[in-house]
Amino acid sequence: MAEPRPLPDDLDSRAFSRDDAERAGLRPGRLRRRDIRRPFHGVQIVGSFGTLRERCTAYRVRMKPGHAFSHQTSVLLQGLPLARAFEEELDLHVSVVMPGRAPTTRGVVGHRIRIAPPIVDVGGLPVVRMDEAWAQMAPLLAVDELVVLGDAVLWRDPELLEAMRAATETPYRPGRERLGRALREVRRGAASPGESRTRLLLVRAGMPEPELNAEVRLPGGVVHPDMVWRERQVAVEYEGDGHRDREQFVYDVGRYERMQAAGWTIVRVLPDDLRGAGADALIRRVRSLVL
């Protein structure tokens, strides 16, 4: 079988609709050739279609005015943390304000919402803003996961706290009570899910609230430990995957040595320290230092 005729340049590198194809002079038979994929009804694409952004960009072709990517799709498009199961989901989540009709095409989960959410542009895609996306996840996440996600929102934009509070007060909000419980434990200043989980473990065990990524002045410069109890000169550092990088490791060692030389005690936390016997031992150690 002969190779398909190349597409016009303006269609070769993007998703396109049947109207786009007609305007470009393509015959219906060309759209049936094996090099063209149809990820959504009425959408054609040549080339890569694997990542979340690629799928959203393809669906954007048939998206109606007033529709926006929402729920876990919005969370992931904005680089916020979610469990791997959500990252592996292929369906896109799209919301429309009532009385609009939610999309029903294959590959898309449609949602009808009562109040128009704030929308932001993410690489040309209309996306529900982080605070609203956080609130939309309430029926799907446990309280601790909502705290972790809420911390991440405030790390990206600390000014969204009031918007998050307003989101918990929206009438008829699914999971409203769970959101309120989570918001009471959300804090500004946690830079990673591991830091958020460490803080929750320690504070729930009776430790005073720590300062998060607060400035500590030392001879030779300023450092920002993950958690600080300043009066006790105690700092807790969560050692996530980023600390495995050699450059980061060398920097951390030098930072810890400078803090210890200035009289600080450093408690380094690994993922296993947040569960089971490791969590019990961590609580005992930190309690002995800060209480």
Side-chain angles (χ1 to χ4, degrees):
M1 182 180 293
E3 289 296 317
R5 179 178 300 177
L7 294 174
D9 290 342
D10 65 328
L11 300 184
D12 189 46
S13 59
R14 67 176 180 88
F16 57 92
S17 67
R18 289 186 177 275
D19 288 343
D20 293 331
E22 290 179 5
R23 284 191 291 269
L26 293 182
R27 295 180 178 178
R30 178 63 182 89
L31 299 182
R32 293 192 291 269
R33 298 301 296 271
R34 65 180 182 275
D35 62 324
I36 293 181
R37 304 169 67 183
R38 297 166 189 81
F40 306 104
H41 180 72
V43 178
Q44 289 73 221
I45 189 170
V46 175
S48 179
F49 178 71
T51 69
L52 174 64
R53 183 172 294 277
E54 288 170 343
R55 298 197 305 275
C56 290
T57 300
Y59 182 72
R60 181 75 175 93
V61 169
R62 59 161 291 156
M63 214 168 183
K64 295 181 179 180
H67 289 206
F69 294 108
S70 63
H71 296 75
Q72 49 262 56
T73 303
S74 171
V75 170
L76 293 171
L77 282 173
Q78 295 179 86
L80 298 170
L82 275 182
R84 185 176 300 277
F86 291 107
E87 295 179 356
E88 294 174 348
E89 180 182 351
L90 295 180
D91 287 344
L92 305 180
H93 290 257
V94 176
S95 285
V96 60
V97 179
M98 295 180 180
R101 296 178 60 186
T104 58
T105 190
R106 62 181 171 84
V108 174
V109 178
H111 303 268
R112 297 175 77 229
I113 55 180
R114 294 175 179 271
I115 299 175
I119 304 298
V120 295
D121 182 289
V122 177
L125 301 172
V127 177
V128 168
R129 199 172 65 189
M130 290 185 290
D131 51 293
E132 175 65 18
W134 167 77
Q136 290 176 341
M137 294 301 295
L140 303 174
L141 299 180
V143 169
D144 284 11
E145 294 170 313
L146 286 170
V147 174
V148 169
L149 182 56
D151 281 1
V153 170
L154 293 185
W155 177 254
R156 294 274 299 276
D157 188 347
E159 300 304 315
L160 287 179
L161 179 58
E162 288 306 314
M164 293 170 69
R165 184 170 290 114
T168 68
E169 298 169 355
T170 302
Y172 308 105
R173 168 80 69 186
R176 181 177 172 184
E177 188 272 339
R178 189 182 302 175
L179 277 179
R181 288 168 54 201
L183 188 62
R184 287 193 286 273
E185 296 188 281
V186 168
R187 298 291 183 270
R188 293 183 176 105
S192 73
E195 293 177 32
S196 296
R197 295 187 179 102
T198 303
R199 173 180 61 82
L200 287 176
L201 175 70
L202 296 175
V203 171
R204 288 173 177 174
M207 309 312 152
E209 286 273 355
E211 298 178 62
L212 304 179
N213 281 283
E215 181 179 283
V216 173
R217 294 188 175 276
L218 300 173
V222 173
V223 296
H224 296 82
D226 296 342
M227 276 156 271
V228 167
W229 289 267
R230 195 175 298 273
E231 291 185 359
R232 299 289 188 175
Q233 284 195 294
V234 173
V236 167
E237 292 277 4
Y238 180 79
E239 305 281 1
D241 290 341
H243 294 261
R244 298 177 185 176
D245 175 80
R246 177 172 175 74
E247 184 177 346
Q248 182 66 44
F249 174 78
V250 171
Y251 171 77
D252 286 341
V253 169
R255 180 163 57 97
Y256 299 155
E257 289 178 348
R258 286 192 290 132
M259 292 187 71
Q260 290 167 339
W264 285 78
T265 300
I266 312 299
V267 179
R268 299 171 70 178
V269 179
L270 298 173
D272 286 346
D273 296 324
L274 300 183
R275 53 184 175 266
D280 295 337
L282 175 63
I283 289 169
R284 288 194 298 270
R285 185 180 180 196
V286 175
R287 180 181 287 130
S288 71
L289 293 169
V290 305
L291 294 181

